[in-house]
């Protein structure tokens, strides 16, 4: 009787799980990002949900594009960059002079600009000094860094 109950429980469990598996819940585990690069499941799932399913797709993305993904933070970015570096690959680097990331600001400044939606130099220049200083977590030191970087270009 006990074995019969166990068998019924597992058969019900399997019948409930199989429909979900056929809809791609575990499909990302067969992705080359997981099998070849050995990225963690959490990172692969974030990339897979963003329709980044191949190594070529991943290397064509810039850091700021990956940071926009839901549930993809600094730790995930660090993991991706480390694994790609081990394989002799890297993320796409935008050398576009109008892109804010081309200035190599500190992490704090980059995060403030990203959260404020400032992605290009024209976005930054269109703001007044007062508006820039009012950005959250943007102090005197950050302002000085930006001002010096803009003055050198």
């Amino acid at each position: 009787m006990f074995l019969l109950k166990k068998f019924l429980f597992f058969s019900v469990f399997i019948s409930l799980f199989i429909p979900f598996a056929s809809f791609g819940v575990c499909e990302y585990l067969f992705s080359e990002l997981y099998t070849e690069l050995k990225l963690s499941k959490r990172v692969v799932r974030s990339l897979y949900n963003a329709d980044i399913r191949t190594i070529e797709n991943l290397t064509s993305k810039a850091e700021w594009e990956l940071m926009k993904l839901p549930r993809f933070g600094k730790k995930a970015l660090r993991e991706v960059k480390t694994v790609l570096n081990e394989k002799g690959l890297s993320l796409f680097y935008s050398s576009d002079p109008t892109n804010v990331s081309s200035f190599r600001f500190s992490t704090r400044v980059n995060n403030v600009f990203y959260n404020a939606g400032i992605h290009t130099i024209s976005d930054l220049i269109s703001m007044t000094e007062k508006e820039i200083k009012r950005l959250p977590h943007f102090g005197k030191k950050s302002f000085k860094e930006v001002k010096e970087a803009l003055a050198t270009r």
Side-chain angles (χ1 to χ4, degrees), residues 44-132:
V44 172
R45 191 172 31 246
S46 293
L47 295 171
Y48 196 82
N49 289 338
D51 210 21
I52 300 171
R53 299 179 181 185
T54 63
I55 296 171
E56 184 180 355
N57 286 356
L58 179 60
T59 56
S60 69
K61 300 292 182 193
E63 288 182 23
W64 64 270
E65 290 177 292
L66 293 177
M67 290 297 288
K68 287 171 134 182
L69 301 177
R71 295 178 302 283
F72 195 94
K74 292 177 186 177
K75 189 175 177 182
L77 181 64
R78 191 176 321 119
E79 180 182 342
V80 167
K81 287 171 68 175
T82 302
V83 170
L84 287 176
N85 193 27
E86 289 172 0
K87 299 282 186 181
L89 301 169
S90 64
L91 292 173
F92 178 73
Y93 176 72
S94 174
S95 61
D96 180 12
T98 63
N99 194 340
V100 173
S101 65
S102 66
F103 275 86
R104 302 278 189 192
F105 290 124
S106 66
T107 304
R108 176 181 293 274
V109 173
N110 281 329
N111 287 341
V112 168
F113 287 162
Y114 173 76
N115 291 333
I118 301 169
H119 300 292
T120 62
I121 298 302
S122 61
D123 293 340
L124 183 60
I125 293 173
S126 68
M127 298 176 71
T128 65
E129 187 175 318
K130 199 174 194 179
E131 289 173 331
I132 294 171

Side-chain angles (χ1 to χ4, degrees), residues 10-27:
F10 285 118
S11 62
V12 169
F13 175 76
I14 289 172
S15 66
L16 290 174
F17 181 71
I18 287 178
F20 291 114
S22 64
F23 286 116
V25 171
C26 298
E27 191 176 320

